Amino acid sequence: MIERTVNDIGANVHVKGTVGEYAYSMGALWQSLSIQSDTLPFSDSRIKGFVDFTAPVLGLDMKSSLMVDLHSYGDSSSYSFIQAGVSSSWTRGDITIRGGLGLQTATNTESTQFGAIQVHADVDYRMSSDFTGYMQFQTGLANTSLSELLSLNPYLMHAPVISFRRDDITISPMLQWHPDIDLSASFKATYRSSSNIPVMVPNSIEAGRFAGFSIEYLSGTILDLRLESLWKAFKHTILGAFGSYVISSLNNTDKQIQMIAPTTIGLRFERIWTEELRSLISIEHVGARSILIDGSQELPAYIMANVRLDYTVKKDLDV
């Protein structure tokens, strides 16, 4: 295993307001990620900006959006993601429909260019005082970054290829039960057919030769069945439980996508101590995952615990 230190710092600004019947929102993000190791230093510098403008059109609030995400990668590479589109929503009675259409263009760290038409639609239907149904549909490219990939797996190999998943179709129906304000439970099924899925696999399974995880980009389908519940047991205490069962397969084969755990279950405890201070503790059991496509080798199941503490210094400043 290669020892290294990762420094990830950033700053962002967000401004929004209204002028008469028009509304605007704009923001920018600067991020600098550096990796120091016993091999070579590496960096990913990021500048991201967005602008949203909302205006009434034919009785609907139409929002126009532009997002630009630019990265300087290492000494001589780069990658980028640009998206522009329009969206709106419509509500009548117990039904709300939201939808949008956009154009996307992206370039990965190997200078391969991608383009897509993004389509997304959401439907919320309040079936009764106790049940609400949801349906989500989406197609297009998914933006990502080295920072996001390292948050999923901090043991990535040096200078991995950063590319963009293309979702041919994503469908997510969900049913939520909410008998009162303090208790809710939901069941959600998500089906996604994609190409260029980033799959993190060990560089070697031989003893003494493992140095980290590389990224392979594969095509396949994923069905994620998820149950989740939340209970506000006391005034300042929230208890939660969740579980998921994942079925995956590579395109044109009957093999599952490696490194995707088929089962995950967990518990969470959230406590609001004061108006400024809150904590979150969670524990998860992640099932065994196959390393090789043929399933002949796998990583054993493990238990992961997470602790988070948030403190609001001022109204708009969190630590």
Side-chain angles (χ1 to χ4, degrees):
M1 176 70 71
I2 298 175
E3 294 187 2
R4 61 183 178 180
T5 301
V6 178
N7 297 308
D8 190 358
I9 60 175
N12 65 79
V13 60
H14 185 196
V15 179
K16 58 183 178 180
T18 58
V19 179
E21 58 185 0
Y22 304 100
Y24 63 89
S25 176
M26 60 185 69
L29 165 70
W30 169 80
Q31 185 177 25
S32 177
L33 185 149
S34 62
I35 301 175
Q36 302 292 331
S37 68
D38 52 6
T39 55
L40 295 172
F42 193 74
S43 65
D44 182 0
S45 300
R46 179 185 199 180
I47 297 177
K48 178 181 179 181
F50 73 90
V51 176
D52 297 335
F53 180 74
T54 304
V57 178
L58 300 176
L60 297 175
D61 288 335
M62 299 294 295
K63 181 169 74 172
S64 302
S65 303
L66 173 65
M67 187 272 285
V68 179
D69 194 357
L70 306 176
H71 295 255
S72 175
Y73 195 64
D75 294 330
S76 59
S77 185
S78 64
Y79 62 103
S80 62
F81 188 96
I82 301 173
Q83 176 177 300
V86 295
S87 61
S88 186
S89 63
W90 174 84
T91 300
R92 175 167 293 181
D94 296 324
I95 298 178
T96 298
I97 300 174
R98 293 174 292 272
L101 182 67
L103 296 176
Q104 299 172 312
T105 180
T107 304
N108 69 10
T109 54
E110 294 184 323
S111 299
T112 302
Q113 294 185 331
F114 303 84
I117 297 176
Q118 185 207 36
V119 180
H120 65 90
D122 303 336
V123 179
D124 302 350
Y125 175 49
R126 185 69 178 257
M127 304 165 63
S128 69
S129 60
D130 291 344
F131 291 95
T132 300
Y134 304 86
M135 175 65 77
Q136 297 177 331
F137 169 86
Q138 184 168 315
T139 180
L141 298 174
N143 192 16
T144 192
S145 68
L146 177 61
S147 177
E148 293 173 10
L149 293 173
L150 283 172
S151 69
L152 298 174
N153 188 333
Y155 305 107
L156 289 179
M157 295 286 290
H158 178 78
V161 173
I162 307 298
S163 195
F164 303 94
R165 190 185 76 229
R166 181 188 297 273
D167 294 334
D168 300 319
I169 185 172
T170 302
I171 300 177
S172 302
M174 184 176 78
L175 179 64
Q176 185 179 43
W177 175 61
H178 40 74
D180 59 57
I181 194 173
D182 295 327
L183 178 65
S184 68
S186 63
F187 171 74
K188 183 177 183 180
T190 300
Y191 172 81
R192 189 176 73 227
S193 176
S194 308
S195 58
N196 228 32
I197 303 171
V199 179
M200 303 173 190
V201 296
N203 73 304
S204 175
I205 57 175
E206 297 181 19
R209 297 191 61 184
F210 173 74
F213 290 81
S214 60
I215 300 179
E216 295 183 6
Y217 289 91
L218 307 174
S219 298
T221 60
I222 297 174
L223 175 62
D224 185 354
L225 307 176
R226 177 174 291 268
L227 281 169
E228 186 170 353
S229 64
L230 290 174
W231 177 39
K232 190 174 182 180
F234 305 101
K235 183 178 180 180
H236 300 293
T237 302
I238 299 174
L239 304 178
F242 57 90
S244 69
Y245 179 68
V246 178
I247 303 170
S248 66
S249 64
L250 293 167
N251 282 359
N252 304 316
T253 73
D254 58 353
K255 307 298 184 182
Q256 67 178 6
I257 301 175
Q258 62 265 47
M259 298 303 294
I260 294 181
T263 58
T264 303
I265 57 174
L267 299 171
R268 56 179 289 171
F269 171 83
E270 184 174 356
R271 172 73 178 177
I272 302 174
W273 299 96
T274 67
E275 185 176 347
E276 298 83 11
L277 180 65
R278 66 171 56 203
S279 62
L280 174 65
I281 300 173
S282 67
I283 184 167
E284 300 178 31
H285 179 274
V286 181
R289 299 154 293 159
S290 64
I291 300 175
L292 304 178
I293 292 178
D294 61 10
S296 60
Q297 301 249 356
E298 65 177 27
L299 293 177
Y302 66 94
I303 294 176
M304 178 172 62
N306 302 286
V307 178
R308 177 174 174 174
L309 194 66
D310 292 334
Y311 183 76
T312 302
V313 180
K314 293 182 179 181
K315 181 180 179 181
D316 298 319
L317 179 62
D318 292 330
V319 177

